[in-house]
Amino acid sequence: MNPTALVDGMTWTDPTCPVARTLDIVGDRWSMLVIRDAIDGARSFTDFQQRTGVARNILTDRLRRLVDRGILRREPAASGRRQVYVLTDEGRDFFTVILAIRQWGERHMFAPGEAHSVLVDEAGRPLAPLHPVDVNGDGVDMDTTAVIGRG
């Protein structure tokens, strides 16, 4: 395997691996937090900076990359004087990834009883834990799956 490869103008760490390609685009903490905050309703540069505390130059770079890769798009704000950032369908599809990371963090990053934020549905109920299933709805895990077609 070539450790990096140029495909369609993009340098990929591992061109045949969907995980590696995804991490090449969103695999740093600031990109993930920008996507998290966009899911939570952040729209303006100021919203993202205040929520994350990221330096302006880093935030500018991450927003540009997320727009360039089709995860966010820029739109004129209602005032017409500024731009806001909106999740594309591709970006909205990232919700499940953020949810999986959140649920893992709830299970493993907090002491029992330690306070943390909670994601709830429209009725205020916590979400059920994600559990991967196969096409028949049967549960799967790392012991019952395999990667095929990898170079």
Side-chain angles (χ1 to χ4, degrees):
M1 176 190 74
N2 183 358
T4 61
L6 185 64
V7 179
D8 296 327
M10 179 72 185
T11 301
W12 300 109
T13 301
D14 182 347
T16 65
C17 178
V19 173
R21 278 196 177 200
T22 301
L23 291 175
D24 283 342
I25 302 302
V26 299
D28 68 278
R29 91 181 266 168
W30 299 120
S31 294
M32 294 291 281
L33 292 175
V34 165
I35 295 168
R36 175 206 63 187
D37 288 346
I39 289 169
D40 290 344
R43 297 289 177 263
S44 70
F45 186 94
T46 302
D47 289 342
F48 292 112
Q49 189 176 37
Q50 288 176 345
R51 291 177 185 216
T52 63
V54 63
R56 294 178 65 80
N57 62 320
I58 294 171
L59 179 57
T60 298
D61 176 70
R62 295 320 185 272
L63 288 168
R64 180 190 51 76
R65 286 192 328 178
L66 293 170
V67 167
D68 288 350
R69 298 308 297 170
I71 295 167
L72 294 173
R73 72 175 178 275
R74 281 189 294 269
E75 293 181 355
S79 69
R81 294 192 311 221
R82 294 181 184 237
Q83 296 280 309
V84 293
Y85 295 89
V86 178
L87 289 162
T88 62
D89 288 342
E90 188 175 313
R92 293 177 63 82
D93 196 31
F94 211 77
F95 172 78
T96 306
V97 176
I98 295 293
L99 177 58
I101 292 169
R102 168 180 273 285
Q103 289 185 351
W104 184 90
E106 289 171 349
R107 286 190 304 273
H108 301 291
M109 295 291 105
F110 292 89
E114 184 179 359
H116 60 78
S117 64
V118 177
L119 182 64
V120 297
D121 67 15
E122 291 176 316
R125 298 174 300 223
L127 301 175
L130 293 178
H131 295 288
V133 296
D134 66 15
V135 295
N136 297 318
D138 297 322
V140 297
D141 62 23
M142 61 185 265
D143 296 324
T144 60
T145 59
V147 175
I148 58 172
R150 191 159 187 199

